[in-house]
Structure formats: structure tokens, C-alpha cells
Amino acid sequence: MLNKKIRVLIIDDMALVRDILAAGLAKDPDIEVVGTAADPYIAADKIPKLTPDVLTLDVEMPRMDGVEFLRKLMPQYPLPVVMVSSLTEKGQRITLDALQAGAVDFVHKPSSNIDRGLNAMMMELRTKIKIASIANVSHWKSSEKRSAIASNIDHSKALAKSTDKIIVIGASTGGTEAIRSVITEFPPLMPGIVIVQHMPAGFTKMFSERLNTQAQMEVREACDGDRIITGRVLIAPGGKHMRIIRSGGIYQVSVSDGPQVNGHCPSVEVLMQSAATHVGNNAIGIMLTGMGGDGADGMKAMRDVGARTLAQDESTCVVFGMPKVAWEKGGAEKLVPLQNIPEATMQLLEQMK
């Protein structure tokens, strides 16, 4: 049990949902529901008075949707927010907007088998509220602007020599924004990139499609047998593991069902162990923000066979979990602020033969 209860404010336009969420959260001795609000305008009045540690926020509301509220809230009063979203395509799209606007994580409202689905959702929500309570969202404050270290280095020669290299990225809580900020900085002829971001099925496809419109590289949700080639980013589909395999002189991904590893499917551990086995010292491993330690042993295995590795530093992580464990276990060579990871990756490519 935590020393201090986590103070939660529930924001949802439906009274029944507010009651269900309040009752479900009250079952956890570490959580205290300090209030509810029927819309963001009421919530904005209550936040300074109730001083919640975490907000739960409905994605779709009539007077102001959750995303618009986040865009107004986070620069002024950054708070960890867990979105409660529907599984509809519109709900998924708005949830991704919300993550981009500063939400820490999200849960789905059950769409079928309501009783069983509700219990599972409440268990997930209680867990994600606890994770959110330790999340670092201070960088959303408008006064804190992070800037990357400018680089005047011409990386074209390194890229020309790196066609057989593969970059492997793992992320969880806070990862969608971290991945976006890294991938959009990479040039179009970057070596092939494979990514595991802890996300449910459906969301990874939409996340990939959105990132494809923002990046210079081609980004897509991975399909079994896809080739890993220069200029392409493959994101593991939610609910499936992704491994790197080598067939003759080409690298491909194997995408398959399987049990959770370290509590996750897809798992960073599975991907990084496959990189250690099949890519060896031609790989670069990058561990971004996330709760827990998924992938730490895999990154250590990569480093042990000569791969280069780095992890996001504590000051720029939403949750300094996966990078911390990777660092402590000797998997990560160094800790790097998020805004400097693209340049640090380019420098590693320069150093690789």
C-alpha cells in the first residue's frame, strides 16, 4: 500500500459512467476519488480546489472533447491524465490525438460482455492510474521548451555505409510521443527500423498510419514476412510478437501470436533477443520511456554481441522504468535526453564499421 493515496478526479459527461468509475476505483485502498465532473469546464473549476494527482478523462464529450481540454490544460496546469476511450475508429483516432496532446495512457470502455469487460477495464484503469501518478509531465508546461543540440555533421557517408544496419526501438508509457519525436527527425535514407510500442490491436495500425504522414521515412504496421530495408519503419501490431529473422542476405520480420512476455504482447524483450541472435553487431538498440523492465535483458544480449545501445534519460522520460532497468542491467551504454537521441543514433552509425 502506498504511503499517500492517489487523488483522482473523474471527468465524464455520463452520470452512470462517473458512478461506475468512482465505485471501481474506490475498491483500491491506494486510490481516493476526490471528485467528479460532467465536462471539462466544471473540471477546470475543480482542479485548483481539489488538487488531484491524476485525471481520468472521457475522450468524446459534447461541450469540449478530451483532446481540446488537454491542449488547454497541459501548458497551464500539467497533470497526468488517463483517457477512457471507445474502441471505435473515431475513438481510436481521438485517443492518439490525446496522447499527442499530453495524456499519459488510455483504457478502453468494454464493447461486449459488459460485466467481464468492466472488471478487466477497472483493473487496467487502477494500474494505469498508479503508473500515471509517478509520470513526469512537467515538460508540457509552456515555459519549459526542450531544444535539441544542433548538429552540423554531414551524415550522408555514414548512411551510405549503413544499408545492412538495423535500429531496434522499444517503448511503453509515454512512448507514442517519444517515438514520434525521434522518427520524424530521421532522414529518409535511415537504416531500417523495427519498433515495439506497448499498444492494443487496432491502435498500432492507426499510430503507424499517422506517423507515416509525419516522418520522412515510410512507416507501416508490420506484417509477417515484411522486409527490413533502408528508409522503412515497421511497428509491431498490437497483440502479436515481432521478431527479426534473416533469410539469406535479407532481414525480415516474423509476426506471430504468442503468450505475453514480461506481461506484454508485443514484447520488447522478444524483439531485442531476436536482434541479438540475427543482427549482432549490425544493430543499434534504443530504449524509450516506459514502465517496468521489458526488453532490459534483450538489450543486454544485444550489447553482449557487439550492438550499440542507448536509453532515454530520466529527465525527459514520462516514466523512467524500462530505460532505468536497461541501464542498471548494463544493456544501455548511455542515457540520452529524448531530443538528442536522433543525433546520438547518427553518431553511433558513424562509429559502426
Side-chain angles (χ1 to χ4, degrees):
M1 186 164 168
L2 301 172
N3 294 331
K4 174 174 148 323
K5 289 192 175 190
I6 301 163
R7 298 167 61 81
V8 177
L9 175 63
I10 296 167
I11 309 167
D12 198 294
D13 61 307
M14 292 181 65
L16 177 61
V17 174
R18 294 196 299 273
D19 291 345
I20 289 170
L21 293 180
L25 294 178
K27 291 178 180 176
D28 193 307
D30 293 328
I31 295 172
E32 178 187 3
V33 177
V34 293
T36 64
D39 65 47
Y41 293 99
I42 298 169
D45 289 336
K46 289 192 172 187
I47 286 169
K49 298 170 190 167
L50 298 175
T51 61
D53 301 309
V54 178
L55 308 180
T56 73
L57 181 60
D58 186 20
V59 166
E60 300 172 73
M61 289 180 289
R63 289 183 70 194
M64 181 195 295
D65 72 28
V67 178
E68 193 182 342
F69 176 60
L70 278 169
R71 287 175 181 150
K72 293 177 185 297
L73 172 78
M74 296 305 281
Q76 306 294 325
Y77 204 110
L79 279 170
V81 176
V82 179
M83 304 300 292
V84 180
S85 84
S86 66
L87 264 172
T88 63
E89 188 169 321
K90 183 185 177 189
Q92 291 179 3
R93 188 172 63 251
I94 298 172
T95 301
L96 285 174
D97 287 338
L99 292 171
Q100 196 166 328
V104 171
D105 214 328
F106 63 92
V107 297
H108 295 137
K109 293 175 182 173
S111 55
S112 60
N113 195 339
I114 301 298
D115 281 350
R116 187 173 157 201
L118 194 59
N119 284 333
M121 186 203 87
M122 287 311 309
M123 191 177 299
E124 184 183 9
L125 182 59
R126 290 191 288 265
T127 301
K128 288 187 171 179
I129 283 171
K130 290 177 184 179
I131 294 170
S133 73
I134 60 168
N136 174 18
V137 293
S138 60
H139 62 280
W140 288 97
K141 193 90 171 161
S142 51
S143 59
E144 288 190 32
K145 297 287 186 219
R146 295 180 182 146
S147 56
I149 294 172
S151 168
N152 298 315
I153 302 168
D154 179 6
H155 295 292
S156 54
K157 287 182 182 175
L159 291 177
K161 293 188 296 183
S162 66
T163 53
D164 60 341
K165 307 293 189 284
I166 293 177
I167 298 167
V168 184
I169 299 176
S172 189
T173 313
T176 54
E177 269 308 279
I179 289 167
R180 189 177 70 84
S181 69
V182 170
I183 297 299
T184 55
E185 290 297 316
F186 284 151
L189 293 180
M190 201 70 179
I193 298 173
V194 286
I195 298 175
V196 163
Q197 159 70 47
H198 297 155
M199 251 184 167
F203 279 88
T204 44
K205 187 171 193 301
M206 194 170 283
F207 175 53
S208 306
E209 290 170 352
R210 174 172 297 200
L211 196 51
N212 188 51
T213 67
Q214 300 167 329
Q216 298 178 72
M217 300 177 73
E218 174 202 13
V219 184
R220 61 163 82 161
E221 185 184 58
C223 293
D224 188 48
D226 275 351
R227 287 186 62 185
I228 306 168
I229 58 173
T230 298
R232 177 180 290 172
V233 179
L234 296 174
I235 297 178
K240 292 183 183 291
H241 288 303
M242 182 168 75
R243 296 172 174 83
I244 301 169
I245 56 173
R246 187 160 190 171
S247 176
I250 64 170
Y251 290 111
Q252 295 171 281
V253 292
S254 164
V255 176
S256 60
D257 296 322
Q260 291 188 341
V261 175
N262 296 330
H264 298 284
C265 183
S267 163
V268 182
E269 183 67 26
V270 168
L271 180 62
M272 289 196 169
Q273 288 287 357
S274 74
T277 302
H278 296 290
V279 191
N281 63 3
N282 280 326
I284 292 176
I286 301 172
M287 194 73 77
L288 299 176
T289 176
M291 188 72 182
D294 184 32
D297 293 329
M299 180 170 265
K300 178 67 165 63
M302 287 179 67
R303 192 176 179 191
D304 286 346
V305 295
R308 303 303 303 271
T309 59
L310 57 87
Q312 187 176 347
D313 77 341
E314 183 172 9
S315 70
T316 61
C317 275
V318 173
V319 178
F320 188 55
M322 285 160 52
K324 180 174 187 276
V325 180
W327 169 253
E328 288 174 346
K329 287 193 170 185
E333 292 177 41
K334 55 185 175 180
L335 298 172
V336 180
L338 178 63
Q339 66 272 21
N340 296 339
I341 286 176
E343 178 58 27
T345 306
M346 301 299 285
Q347 289 174 0
L348 290 180
L349 284 172
E350 292 265 1
Q351 296 163 16
M352 294 168 78
K353 293 176 182 173

